[in-house]
Structures are given as structure tokens and as C-alpha cells.
Amino acid sequence: MLYVIRHGKTDWNRQRKMQGKTDIPLNEEGRAMAEAAHERYKDVHFDICYCSPLSRARETAEILLQGRQVPIIFDDRLEEMGFGVAEGESADQSEGEPIYNFFKHPERYGLELPEGAESFHDLFARTGEFLREVALPQVEAGKDVLIVGHGAMNSSIVCQVWGLPLEEFWSAGIENCVLKRLIPAEKRCSWCNEKNPLYVEYHDNEWGKLRTDDAYLFEMLILESFQAGLSWECVLNKRENFRKAYDGFDIEKVCNYDEEKKAELRSNPGLIRNKLKTDASVGNAKIFREIVNEWGSFYDYLKSFTGPDVIFECGRTTSPVSDQISADLKRRGMKFVGSTIIYSFLQAVGIIYSHEEGCDMWHEGL
């Protein structure tokens, strides 16, 4: 099996600066993310780890694998993509600027590069060589291989393993300290529509993986609320549209949405256009923020009902725990948070682990 994971956050991540080959260390948040990943993925087997030599990746690998007898091997081919004179500059640039194209239109990035920057051709050449010479032969020999790296570097690995075009360079969604399994499962849960690549990716790399950060929990709670009366596949197919329309699920921005913004959301053909659900999403955001202020994090609030350990169970759509959380959220004023929706939310974020027996992911939690 082949896995990739991106390093924890740094000060330059927080400041939205281009890092590239500049050796920026983890900050306290990044170390906490790596510690959380250590706990989250403690039951995932790795035979060997290949890692970028840059300190933010190196420290992430060391924390993630602490206490394990897993060798960590550093390889220069796994360094982040180089951005030349753009390193240290803001990642938020105007339309048409090279860094804007890098994020928004990667297929155009090679038309104009910052001085001293690598091209995608350069990046794919070195990571492709690493895959052919090192990683894939190990996987073919039955080894579980972990790559610890960076946003662009890991995305180049994903593109080559999955055969994605450059236009879809960012489609894998490489997040800090979130493990991604690249060699697909052969057997999946019965609910997974294997004809839908988005659903397969969600099943294999996201559903049931424990996530504790407020930003992710907020996104999933809002999306689950839109699922009411619909299928999750319908919501998942519109997820990127929701992310764009809801400002990346920035909770402060969503809390400040006015009637004009809500009307804009209701008229967006890429979303689920339901007035009650749209209005509820803004109201629920405000209550979510109140809970975070009260408890320190939404995960800590959820743990007050679920306890500290992951719950392993299959074949249910509600439970006493989801009943209790649903009742409390309704008491606080949230809407579209019935017990079935909350149970589905808890499964999605890994608080309840429900991969079915017979699915390749079943053994990872049981």
C-alpha cells in the first residue's frame, strides 16, 4: 500500500506565504497536528517511511512514527517544489500573476515562472523518478510505504499514481497531517458507488478517519445538514461548489452572512437551493462558534457525549449518543441536526468507525 501525508502547519502556512524549498520549521499548531496524527493513525501499518529532508516534513515524520520501529529515509527528490524569488511572498496574488495561476490554473503556470522557480515538468521528473525507482517497487513487493512531504510535491505523486491531468493538480486536496491512501482499496463498503470517483476517493481516504479540527468539523456539519432528505452522494458531488460559495467554510465569514448573501446562495445552481437549509447553515454557524467558545473546541464538546475513544459499530443509523447530541444541538437552536444526521456526521469524521466487515478498511479500525 502507498500512503502520503503532508507536514503540519508552519508560521508561513498561517501567514499564507510561499514556502517552497525554504526550510521553515513546524510551529506549535503544526506539532499538535502531528501529535494528533500519531494517535489517529496508530493502527495503520507502515513498513518504511520516505521523507523530504526539509525540517517541517522531518519533524512531522518523527512525531507521527514515534515509538514505532519504522525506518525514516530522507530523499532530496521529495523536497517541496521550488518557487525561486516568490518564496516568502504572499500566496494570494492577483489574477494573471504566476502564483495565482499556480493555484487556480496550474496548466498555465509554465507560461511564466518566478525567477529561479521549478516548473511542473521539473517537479514531475524528480518525483516520477522516485516513484519508479523507490516507492512503487516496494509496494509491488507487498510493503506499506509512507511518504511524508509537502502540498505540491505530494500532489505530483497523486497525479502520477492516479493518472490525473495537470488541470486537476489540486483535486486530491492535500491537507496538513491528513493521511491519503493512493493505491485504491479492492473491496469497499456496500454503500460506496464505485462508478463515482469522488465517492471512491471519499470512502478510501476520508470517511471514518478521525478529524478533530474545528474547520473540518464545521464544514462536515454544514454539509451533513444539507443532506437531510437527500443522499450523501448528491452533497458530495456539490462539495467544491459549496466550498467556493461558503468562502472555504470560514466560520467567521459564514456567521456574518446577511440576507443578500443568503439570497445569493439560494440562487446558486451549483448548490442545494433550499431556503430553510440555507438559513439554517448561517444560524448553525453562529451556534457552532458559541460552542467552540464555551468548550475550547467542537471536538471537546462532542467528546463530552462520546467519551475519549473511537466507537466501533456498524449497521446503525442512530444511537443513544447521536440522540443526545442531536437533542442538545436542537436545544441550543440548531436546525437540520436530527439524530440520523448527527450519526452520519459522527461516522464521517471518524468518531464512530463504521467500515463494514468485508471492506478493505475494516481491519484498520478493528
Side-chain angles (χ1 to χ4, degrees):
M1 197 59 63
L2 179 62
Y3 300 88
V4 296
I5 195 169
R6 183 184 178 193
H7 60 78
K9 287 188 177 180
T10 70
D11 285 341
W12 279 22
N13 283 137
R14 182 174 52 80
Q15 297 162 10
R16 290 193 53 74
K17 290 183 177 181
M18 302 298 294
Q19 296 187 108
K21 294 179 181 290
T22 305
D23 200 5
I24 307 300
L26 296 181
N27 59 18
E28 287 304 311
E29 181 184 7
R31 293 186 187 93
M33 293 176 81
E35 292 284 359
H38 167 75
E39 178 65 23
R40 184 185 312 137
Y41 304 123
K42 63 185 180 182
D43 295 322
V44 182
H45 179 263
F46 305 117
D47 290 297
I48 192 165
C49 171
Y50 293 98
C51 183
S52 161
L54 296 177
S55 61
R56 56 190 183 271
R58 184 182 67 246
E59 188 174 3
T60 298
E62 290 169 349
I63 295 173
L64 176 65
L65 298 173
Q66 61 187 333
R68 298 208 205 188
Q69 300 301 311
V70 178
I72 302 174
I73 300 173
F74 301 102
D75 194 304
D76 291 343
R77 291 170 290 187
L78 301 180
E79 284 189 350
E80 178 58 306
M81 189 174 185
F83 302 108
V85 297
E87 293 184 11
E89 293 185 358
S90 173
D92 300 314
Q93 295 193 6
S94 301
E95 186 171 355
E97 294 291 324
I99 297 303
Y100 177 91
N101 285 337
F102 173 73
F103 288 110
K104 301 295 185 180
H105 302 287
E107 72 279 5
R108 302 179 192 170
Y109 181 62
L111 300 177
E112 183 182 359
L113 296 174
E115 182 181 347
E118 274 189 291
S119 67
F120 279 116
H121 175 79
D122 298 330
L123 174 65
F124 277 66
R126 62 178 167 90
T127 58
E129 180 183 84
F130 170 81
L131 279 172
R132 292 189 303 274
E133 295 182 357
V134 179
L136 293 182
Q138 295 261 18
V139 172
E140 290 166 3
K143 302 294 186 181
D144 292 325
V145 176
L146 171 66
I147 297 173
V148 181
H150 309 270
M153 190 285 291
N154 282 5
S155 292
S156 76
I157 295 282
V158 173
C159 283
Q160 291 173 88
V161 173
W162 289 355
L164 299 177
L166 191 55
E167 290 84 354
E168 298 180 27
F169 184 76
W170 297 111
S171 64
I174 301 295
E175 301 179 59
N176 297 97
C177 284
V178 176
L179 190 68
K180 186 170 289 290
R181 175 176 172 167
L182 299 191
I183 305 299
E186 295 181 0
K187 294 180 289 184
R188 299 182 173 89
C189 294
S190 58
W191 52 262
C192 180
N193 177 9
E194 296 191 342
K195 296 180 180 179
N196 184 341
L198 275 177
Y199 222 14
V200 169
E201 159 67 7
Y202 176 73
H203 172 275
D204 289 1
N205 288 303
E206 189 171 353
W207 191 73
K209 303 290 187 185
L210 181 63
R211 294 290 299 273
T212 64
D213 52 299
D214 286 332
Y216 183 81
L217 295 177
F218 175 62
E219 174 182 349
M220 295 305 293
L221 187 62
I222 295 300
L223 291 176
E224 290 282 358
S225 72
F226 274 93
Q227 181 191 356
L230 302 170
S231 71
W232 176 246
E233 187 174 9
C234 173
V235 177
L236 190 65
N237 289 337
K238 295 176 181 288
R239 186 180 192 177
E240 286 305 316
N241 297 335
F242 271 97
R243 283 173 168 168
K244 292 175 183 177
Y246 276 78
D247 293 293
F249 289 102
D250 183 312
I251 189 168
E252 293 301 325
K253 291 181 179 179
V254 177
C255 285
N256 290 321
Y257 284 175
D258 56 16
E259 291 303 319
E260 182 179 355
K261 176 62 177 181
K262 287 190 281 189
E264 175 189 316
L265 293 171
R266 291 195 297 269
S267 66
N268 187 329
L271 306 182
I272 294 167
R273 293 183 286 182
N274 180 296
K275 183 180 187 303
L276 294 178
K277 291 180 181 179
T278 301
D279 290 347
S281 68
V282 179
N284 289 356
K286 295 174 182 178
I287 297 167
F288 186 101
R289 183 174 61 181
E290 291 172 359
I291 292 172
V292 170
N293 290 337
E294 177 184 346
W295 285 86
S297 74
F298 197 72
Y299 180 64
D300 285 338
Y301 164 75
L302 294 173
K303 283 197 301 182
S304 72
F305 296 94
T306 66
D309 299 324
V310 172
I311 299 168
F312 298 101
E313 60 186 25
C314 296
R316 305 186 65 155
T317 57
T318 64
S319 71
V321 168
S322 66
D323 291 344
Q324 293 166 19
I325 296 173
S326 171
D328 189 70
L329 291 176
K330 288 179 179 179
R331 179 185 62 79
R332 293 170 181 266
M334 278 199 186
K335 299 178 180 178
F336 294 99
V337 288
S339 186
T340 301
I341 290 296
I342 294 303
Y343 192 84
S344 179
F345 165 74
L346 295 174
Q347 289 175 306
V349 303
I351 292 175
I352 297 177
Y353 193 95
S354 299
H355 281 284
E356 300 167 357
E357 188 170 2
C359 170
D360 283 351
M361 310 295 284
W362 181 75
H363 71 280
E364 292 186 9
L366 299 176

